[in-house]
């Protein structure tokens, strides 16, 4: 897809994770943000990072991602809100600057797996610090298609909590995305292109866009709605 459609695809999403506004506020509360450095590894356009920076003006906030479209959106939003959030194009897997606070949401794949992410992040967050970790898990045993889409590395929620403990973390908070958060996430992930398609039905790219939208909705409803869960953990030591 070209740059125009790439930028448009996620344009209707608040953030790239199933998360309501009240749930986001709760997570930021539990992170006990203050001064020091907050790094968001795999930040996308960093909406939650921006909210954190707005809440805690003493915080130095850095978002790290490889997606220049997302980083550009984050920089624009930071400028519009007068926030000194830094958006850095870098491979988060090699990020080694210790920080008091970190976010890693929906980005475990950067490190290879949930277990590898929890271990690597323990080296990034200072011993007195906190990590907001968001990851998928199997809410029920997966069907073959869900397994094919999301791969063999996802854990159940109890196994994910065990993996966090094994990596040296204490679980300070656990919550999961509700069905409405999931449905809204999936709907908004399609809304940018649905809007474009309605306005450009005869465009040469319309067929490809329609196929992608139909496949995504079909897979969600048939294969992973209620099967794939998503959890938010606040972890400390
Ligand atoms: C599901 S998105 C989550 C984005 C964001 N955390 C949020 O909640 O809105 C995963 C992000 O990981 C980023 N990513 C993938 N590989 C990466 C890497 N090696 N280094 C940094 N970011 C990476 C993607 O570009 C994408 O923005």
């Amino acid at each position: 897809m070209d740059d125009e459609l790439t930028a448009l695809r996620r344009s209707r999403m608040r953030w790239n994770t199933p998360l309501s506004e009240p749930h986001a506020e709760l997570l930021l509360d539990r992170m006990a943000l203050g001064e020091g450095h907050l790094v968001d590894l795999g930040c996308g356009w960093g909406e939650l990072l921006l909210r954190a920076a707005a809440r805690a003006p003493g915080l130095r906030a850095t978002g790290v991602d490889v997606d220049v479209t997302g980083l550009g959106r984050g920089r624009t939003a930071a400028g519009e809100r007068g926030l000194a959030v830094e958006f850095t194009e870098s491979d988060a897997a090699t990020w080694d600057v210790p920080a008091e606070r970190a976010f890693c949401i929906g980005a475990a794949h950067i490190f290879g797996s949930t277990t590898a992410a929890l271990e690597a992040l323990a080296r990034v967050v200072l011993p007195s610090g906190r990590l907001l970790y968001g990851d998928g898990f199997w809410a029920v045993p997966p069907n073959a298609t869900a397994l094919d889409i999301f791969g063999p590395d996802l854990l159940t929620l109890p196994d994910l909590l065990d993996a966090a403990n094994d990596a040296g973390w204490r679980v300070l908070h656990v919550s999961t995305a509700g069905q409405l958060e999931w449905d809204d996430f999936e709907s908004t992930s399609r809304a940018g292109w649905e809007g474009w398609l309605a306005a450009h039905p005869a465009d040469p790219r319309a067929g490809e866009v329609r196929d992608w939208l139909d496949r995504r909705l079909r897979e969600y409803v048939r294969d992973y709605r209620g099967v794939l869960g998503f959890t938010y953990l606040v972890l400390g030591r």
Side-chain angles (χ1 to χ4, degrees):
M1 281 296 167
D2 54 37
D3 289 350
E4 180 203 358
L5 281 174
T6 300
L8 203 59
R9 185 158 94 70
R10 298 195 173 94
S11 59
R12 300 285 298 277
M13 304 177 84
R14 192 186 298 116
W15 27 60
N16 195 357
T17 188
L19 183 65
S20 65
E21 295 270 2
H23 196 169
E25 291 300 317
L26 174 72
L27 296 175
L28 293 179
D29 285 347
R30 297 292 155 87
M31 282 295 282
L33 302 166
E35 301 198 334
H37 191 191
L38 166 64
V39 62
D40 186 350
L41 297 175
C43 65
W45 54 93
E47 179 60 32
L48 196 62
L49 181 70
L50 292 164
R51 306 272 181 115
R55 263 185 180 228
L59 205 61
R60 182 181 154 219
T62 306
V64 180
D65 206 289
V66 290
D67 173 18
V68 292
T69 304
L71 291 167
R73 177 173 166 183
R75 286 185 195 112
T76 301
E80 287 170 355
R81 299 178 207 178
L83 296 169
V85 175
E86 185 184 11
F87 285 90
T88 304
E89 184 185 350
S90 180
D91 179 1
T94 60
W95 189 264
D96 61 359
V97 185
E100 284 79 10
R101 296 286 183 275
F103 294 167
C104 181
I105 300 173
H109 56 281
I110 293 173
F111 303 93
S113 68
T114 295
T115 304
L118 288 164
E119 288 170 357
L121 291 161
R123 294 189 288 275
V124 171
V125 179
L126 288 165
S128 59
R130 287 189 186 190
L131 166 68
L132 173 58
Y133 182 75
D135 203 354
F137 67 90
W138 294 127
V140 299
N143 54 62
T145 312
L147 202 53
D148 193 44
I149 298 170
F150 298 103
D153 290 327
L154 282 191
L155 304 175
T156 63
L157 186 56
D159 287 348
L160 203 161
L161 297 183
D162 285 348
N165 290 149
D166 290 346
W169 296 105
R170 298 282 314 154
V171 178
L172 306 179
H173 166 90
V174 54
S175 50
T176 60
Q179 196 59 68
L180 181 57
E181 289 174 292
W182 264 110
D183 290 344
D184 189 49
F185 168 64
E186 288 290 333
S187 297
T188 55
S189 78
R190 288 183 289 102
W193 276 6
E194 285 289 1
W196 177 87
L197 188 60
H200 304 87
D203 189 283
R205 298 164 292 178
E208 198 181 338
V209 167
R210 189 180 298 107
D211 286 349
W212 185 91
L213 290 166
D214 291 350
R215 187 173 61 251
R216 172 93 184 219
L217 179 58
R218 198 169 48 243
E219 284 177 349
Y220 176 52
V221 173
R222 287 178 193 267
D223 301 320
Y224 64 89
R225 186 175 187 271
V227 174
L228 182 68
F230 200 90
T231 189
Y232 298 95
L233 307 179
V234 174
L235 301 173
R237 243 73 69 84

